[in-house]
Every structure is written in C-alpha cells, then in structure tokens.
Amino acid sequence: MEAADFFRVSECKGQKTIDGEQVPLVLAPSDEGARSSGCEALVAALKANREWVEGKVVANSGVLLRGFDVRDAVEFNAVVEALGWPDIRYVGPAPRTHVHGRVWTANEGPLEEFIYYHHEMVLIKEFPGKVILFCEVPPPSGGETPFVPSFRVTERALEEFPETVEELDARGLRYTFTALSKNDTKSMRGRGWEDAFATSDKAEAERRARALGMDVEWLPGGGARTVLGPRTLTRVFPGRKGRRMWFNTVVGMHGKEFSSATLADGSEIPADFVRRCGEIIEEESIQFRWEKGDILILDNLATLHGRRPSLPPRRVLVATCK
C-alpha cells in the first residue's frame, strides 16, 4: 500500500510553517474508506510505509495522525509496534504507570500544573529518538501538549546572547535533582528513585545511575540527589540539516526548589539569560487542541514538549522509542 493511497495531508489550528514545512504535519485518512476501516488498516499502512513516515517525522519535527479512530491503549500499542522503532525504557522524575505493552501513562502529576518544555530524557546518556503520544480522553479545557522546534531557540538565543551561548557550550553544564525514595503522584516530578532505578538497593541504584551517566548522593530521610554533567547547551544530530538543537533543560531546572542548573564548575548561569530563553521558548511554541484518537509523533532530537494545565478528565498515553 502506497502512502498516498491511505494518507492525505490535512491541517489543524495552531499549526505553523517553519522553513517551508508544516509543523506538525497532519496526516488524515485519504477517504471515508480509510477512515472507517479502523486501526487495523492504519497499522497495515504504517508497516508498509515505515521509512516514509520516519522521513516525515524528521522533516517536519512532528506528525499528527488524526481521524483514524484509534480507541484505546491496546490499539495504540499496535500503532507503536507498526512503526518499528525499538522501545526505550523511560528514566526520569515523572510519575507514570504501565498500561499495556509499550504504553504508559504520561506524567501523572496534578493537571492544574504546567509541565515545562523538555526533550525527553535529555540528560541521560541514551535518550529516545521519538516520543509518541495518544489522546484517549481529551480534556474539556486546556491540557494541550505544546512543543517547540529546538533549533529556533538556539537561533534566537545566538542572535541576542552569542557570547553567553558559546561560553556555556564550551564550559559545560551541571544539573542536580532531588528525589524521594517512593513515588509521590501529587507532584509532577514525584517519581521516587526506587521506581526510577527499578531497585530499592542503594548499591545497585548507584551502579545503574553510573550506567546512565549520573552520580547519586544519599540524603537523610531516604531521598537521593542525582548529579549530572558536564553536558553541552546545544547539540547537532545527523539528518537534521545541521541544525543546532537547544538540547538542555537549563530553563526548566535553574533555581528551582528540587533542582539546579549551573556551569560545570558550579558557577551561576546569568539569570537574565535564563529568563529571556524561557520567553523565547514560549514564543516559539506550537499547540493544538487534542481530539479523541489523536496520535502525535515527535522527533525528540528536534523538539521540546510540555503540558498545559487542564480541567479533568484528561488521559494521554505515551510510548518512547529509540
């Protein structure tokens, strides 16, 4: 089955055109037959056109599959498998629950809180190449998943702070994050270290942390502080036009209660630089209203993503892929 026989390019409110490409690229059923044939037909079309789909994800930074009547976690998992990208286990602070196969809940932190923009697992040695999100229950208000073409942040930061950007890239960055031992679903960063490292043994947790590129400091009361670095501010990945991606979490972790972002030697990052970069990220963000059955495939090497506050109910599921 050729892609053109099953998919047609559509539009969504909030979409932007960047360097001549629609972001996200919206793919809908080519006709009523494709729409009514359900998830099995979508799975078959994705299997037959894996390279074509991946090319679109990379070229457009994100692809939104809309109108294919994907109903639940089981069918979403079939879509994830059809795309053919290997699974990668999530490591990070967000509380999540396994649902089915390769499918997990997205961050289970309080819906009234904004989850700040980030590349998934940006600080870990092995991070996903793709993040796939599925809307099972769209919220009545808010709850969008805004995302940002990462290279645009770097371009604009270089225009305004060229010396600071180059200095931070050259000197490197250091991050710390504090976690409890057990999960706290009342916090959007409430995943405990025992769940994150899949062990309650501290020695084993340290070994697994080192394999991921981090050190662990144990705190009174059973908590842990993870230390990561040095890391660069930006990165360039193959196949993405030589674009310099804003591959860091400085704005999201700088000066927060349970996290920090400094230069690798412990020196402070200028607060006005962090503040302005946060403004740029928001200005470059793209978002659309979730519809039931939507599947958003993000190039995690090229986009930061977050979550807007929303009213309940909202249920968005996720799979992370190499």
Side-chain angles (χ1 to χ4, degrees), residues 11-273:
E11 297 178 346
C12 70
K13 187 175 181 180
Q15 190 178 38
K16 292 184 180 180
T17 300
I18 299 175
D19 286 357
E21 301 287 355
Q22 289 183 324
V23 184
L25 177 68
V26 183
L27 296 179
S30 60
D31 54 34
E32 191 57 38
R35 178 185 296 274
S36 62
S37 55
C39 182
E40 288 186 9
L42 174 61
V43 166
L46 292 173
K47 284 182 177 178
N49 295 280
R50 285 174 172 173
E51 290 186 8
W52 181 83
V53 172
E54 177 154 23
K56 295 300 183 184
V57 173
V58 172
N60 297 75
S61 299
V63 169
L64 174 61
L65 301 174
R66 171 166 283 179
F68 293 99
D69 195 30
V70 179
R71 293 172 293 184
D72 55 29
V74 174
E75 292 190 347
F76 174 47
N77 187 71
V79 169
V80 172
E81 294 284 8
L83 289 164
W85 300 315
D87 188 38
I88 184 169
R89 184 180 184 275
Y90 171 73
V91 177
R96 295 181 173 181
T97 302
H98 181 245
V99 180
H100 176 82
R102 294 170 56 179
V103 177
W104 295 70
T105 58
N107 192 318
E108 296 177 355
L111 289 177
E112 65 269 20
E113 295 187 24
F114 175 54
I115 297 175
Y116 197 71
Y117 301 98
H118 58 285
H119 290 270
E120 201 68 39
M121 294 164 55
V122 63
L123 302 181
I124 308 301
K125 280 186 177 179
E126 186 178 19
F127 39 79
K130 313 292 188 302
V131 174
I132 312 175
L133 297 152
F134 164 63
C135 182
E136 186 173 30
V137 179
S141 177
E144 298 90 350
T145 299
F147 63 97
V148 180
S150 194
F151 80 97
R152 288 289 299 140
V153 184
T154 307
E155 285 184 346
R156 293 186 57 186
L158 280 167
E159 290 171 1
E160 297 187 32
F161 302 94
E163 294 180 358
T164 303
V165 170
E166 300 299 357
E167 180 185 6
L168 266 59
D169 241 349
R171 294 176 63 182
L173 304 169
R174 178 181 185 267
Y175 302 91
T176 67
F177 182 81
T178 301
L180 301 173
S181 60
K182 305 294 184 183
N183 290 348
D184 176 12
T185 56
K186 295 180 181 179
S187 169
M188 64 182 181
R189 290 188 170 185
R191 192 182 192 198
W193 65 262
E194 293 183 19
D195 185 22
F197 295 123
T199 181
S200 59
D201 181 85
K202 290 184 177 181
E204 179 62 19
E206 290 177 6
R207 188 190 68 79
R208 295 179 183 182
R210 286 193 296 271
L212 294 167
M214 65 179 78
D215 294 319
V216 178
E217 299 173 356
W218 300 109
L219 304 175
R225 179 185 294 113
T226 54
V227 182
L228 304 97
R231 300 285 192 272
T232 58
L233 185 74
T234 68
R235 289 188 64 166
V236 177
F237 295 100
R240 287 156 181 83
K241 302 180 180 179
R243 290 168 167 170
R244 195 169 167 185
M245 304 301 181
W246 186 257
F247 209 71
N248 66 78
T249 185
V250 166
V251 178
M253 292 181 69
H254 180 268
K256 301 299 190 293
E257 182 180 2
F258 296 107
S259 66
S260 70
T262 64
L263 288 164
D265 62 6
S267 303
E268 284 296 322
I269 300 169
D272 62 334
F273 171 77

